[in-house]
C-alpha cells in the first residue's frame, strides 16, 4: 500500500510547537512540491491547520520515506534534527488510511464530529494538485476519503 502520515496535532504537541511548524497558504504549494521531490516519496500532500500539521505520502519503501519526511519537516522549518521527535506520530499503511478516514469524518478533532477539517483537507488536496504532487494512489485514496466523510456527515 505505501501510505504514510507523519504529523503532530493538538493531542501530541503544544500550540507553540504547532505554530512553529505550520505551513502558510503562501508556501504550501512549493512545500508540497519539495516534499514530493524527495527520492523516497512518490506522491505527497500537506495538511496544515491550527490543530495539526500532517505530511501525507505514498512511497514504495516506508522505512526509507518516513525518516526522509521527518527530516524534511525539520529542515523546512529550520529546526535541528530530532527537535520534533517527541511530538511526531508516524502512521503507515492501514493505520495511515484509517487515520485519514477518521480525520476527515471529524473523529480526530478537538470537537468530535466537526466538519471544518474536511474543508481543510480539500484545500490541502487542491494545493497538492496545483503542485503536481498527486499521481494515482494518493489521489484515489483522498477522493475515497472525501466521499466517505460526506456520507458520515450526512448520515450522523
Amino acid at each position: 500500500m505505501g501510505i504514510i502520515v507523519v504529523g503532530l496535532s493538538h493531542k501530541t504537541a503544544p500550540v507553540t510547537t504547532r505554530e512553529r511548524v505550520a505551513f502558510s497558504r503562501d508556501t504550501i504549494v512549493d512545500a508540497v512540491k519539495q516534499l514530493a521531490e524527495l527520492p523516497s516519496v512518490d506522491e505527497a500532500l500537506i495538511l496544515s491547520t491550527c490543530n495539526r500539521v500532517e505530511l501525507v505520502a505514498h512511497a514504495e519503501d516506508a522505512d526509507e520515506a518516513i525518516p526522509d519526511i521527518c527530516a524534511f519537516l525539520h529542515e523546512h522549518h529550520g529546526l535541528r534534527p530530532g527537535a520534533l521527535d517527541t511530538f511526531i506520530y508516524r502512521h503507515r499503511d492501514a493505520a495511515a488510511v484509517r487515520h485519514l478516514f477518521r480525520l476527515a469524518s471529524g473523529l480526530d478533532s478537538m470537537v468530535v464530529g466537526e466538519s471544518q477539517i474536511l474543508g481543510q483537507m480539500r484545500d490541502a488536496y487542491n494545493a497538492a494538485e496545483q503542485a503536481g504532487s498527486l499521481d494515482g494512489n494518493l489521489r484515489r485514496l483522498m477522493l475515497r476519503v472525501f466521499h466517505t466523510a460526506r456520507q458520515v456527515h450526512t448520515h450522523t
Side-chain angles (χ1 to χ4, degrees):
M1 189 179 305
I3 302 297
I4 300 163
V5 175
V6 172
L8 46 97
S9 74
H10 62 280
K11 294 179 179 179
T12 66
V15 69
T16 54
T17 302
R18 295 191 315 266
E19 288 173 348
R20 178 71 178 101
V21 297
F23 292 84
S24 72
R25 287 182 187 233
D26 296 338
T27 64
I28 194 93
V29 172
D30 288 336
V32 75
K33 190 180 295 188
Q34 292 169 10
L35 178 61
E37 289 173 351
L38 294 175
S40 61
V41 172
D42 299 323
E43 299 175 78
L45 177 145
I46 297 174
L47 174 65
S48 185
T49 74
C50 58
N51 288 325
R52 69 184 67 249
V53 171
E54 295 189 348
L55 289 74
V56 182
H58 175 263
E60 290 302 316
D61 186 349
D63 290 331
E64 181 182 354
I66 290 173
D68 290 348
I69 294 167
C70 291
F72 169 82
L73 182 60
H74 285 84
E75 290 169 14
H76 184 82
H77 295 290
L79 299 170
R80 66 174 173 71
L84 300 171
D85 286 354
T86 58
F87 305 114
I88 292 178
Y89 46 84
R90 300 154 183 86
H91 301 302
R92 61 168 47 169
D93 301 324
V97 171
R98 186 178 317 106
H99 173 77
L100 292 171
F101 277 95
R102 288 180 51 79
L103 183 60
S105 299
L107 298 175
D108 193 49
S109 299
M110 287 182 79
V111 177
V112 174
E114 66 89 12
S115 58
Q116 183 179 7
I117 189 66
L118 182 57
Q120 293 165 327
M121 290 178 79
R122 286 178 204 250
D123 291 344
Y125 176 86
N126 291 335
E129 283 281 27
Q130 188 178 344
S133 67
L134 297 177
D135 188 28
N137 292 309
L138 190 54
R139 175 184 286 130
R140 283 190 300 277
L141 171 61
M142 294 307 296
L143 293 175
R144 179 44 94 190
V145 164
F146 297 148
H147 175 77
T148 302
R150 278 192 309 270
Q151 288 183 316
V152 167
H153 288 291
T154 299
H155 298 340
T156 57

